[in-house]
Amino acid sequence: AHRLGGEVTAAPHRLDAFHGQRPEVHRGPAHQPAALPGDAGSLFAWRAEESVRRHQPLQETSAGELRADLARQRMEDLYRGRGERFQWIVMVDGESAGWITLAILSWEHGLAEIGYALATEYQGRRLMGEALGQLLPEIFVAVGIERLEARCSVENVRSQSLLEQLGFAREGRLRSYFSLHGSRVDNYLY
């Protein structure tokens, strides 16, 4: 799990209601605007990539279902302490490259879980670290999350390294946590 420690000297960028518009926020080669219904096709394609599915059991879904989920997302709810799931698109040099998902486990206790993936062509370039590094202060400071968890397959060494570089602490091993490609897979809890 990760907790934001120390002082924040500059106010993080605040995501506002997008009303169907993607904000122009550029802080480096990678940045992450809120996912919109028009991003469903990209999400659907990425979820089908073998490299994305290698370590995570993504539920089968259609582009239409993804579009409907994104249409229900109200980013302003994130700052009002309501809603259950929020998604951002990782943009790299103007191109959609992957996604970040925040699942609220309990608003009352300030608990959430984060998940992420990059399209195959963007993997191995340290881009997710940059995108998460921009988003995490927002989640802790502006949103008020107190504990942020992540889970990753014990085989996913890149994800483990990324989480540890971002300050997440490995808290344990979840044996046979989920089924992947017909086998039970252990996960690490961060």
Side-chain angles (χ1 to χ4, degrees), residues 1 22 37 65 92 158 176:
R22 189 177 303 289
E65 290 169 321
V92 177
R158 278 188 181 166
S176 296

Side-chain angles (χ1 to χ4, degrees), residues 74-145:
R74 298 285 178 258
M75 197 57 70
E76 62 269 19
D77 285 350
L78 183 60
Y79 300 97
R80 294 180 179 145
R82 59 184 190 219
E84 297 175 357
R85 186 177 168 94
F86 303 92
Q87 293 189 299
W88 293 266
I89 297 297
V90 177
M91 301 292 292
V92 177
D93 297 326
E95 298 293 323
S96 299
W99 77 90
I100 299 170
T101 300
L102 179 70
I104 304 300
L105 304 175
S106 169
W107 281 111
E108 179 183 2
H109 300 289
L111 304 175
E113 179 180 355
I114 198 153
Y116 46 85
L118 284 172
T120 305
E121 66 186 281
Y122 293 98
Q123 294 174 10
R125 295 171 38 192
R126 301 184 185 271
L127 298 167
M128 189 55 77
E130 181 181 340
L132 286 169
Q134 294 169 8
L135 189 58
L136 290 178
E138 179 77 12
I139 291 169
F140 283 108
V141 177
V143 176
I145 293 299

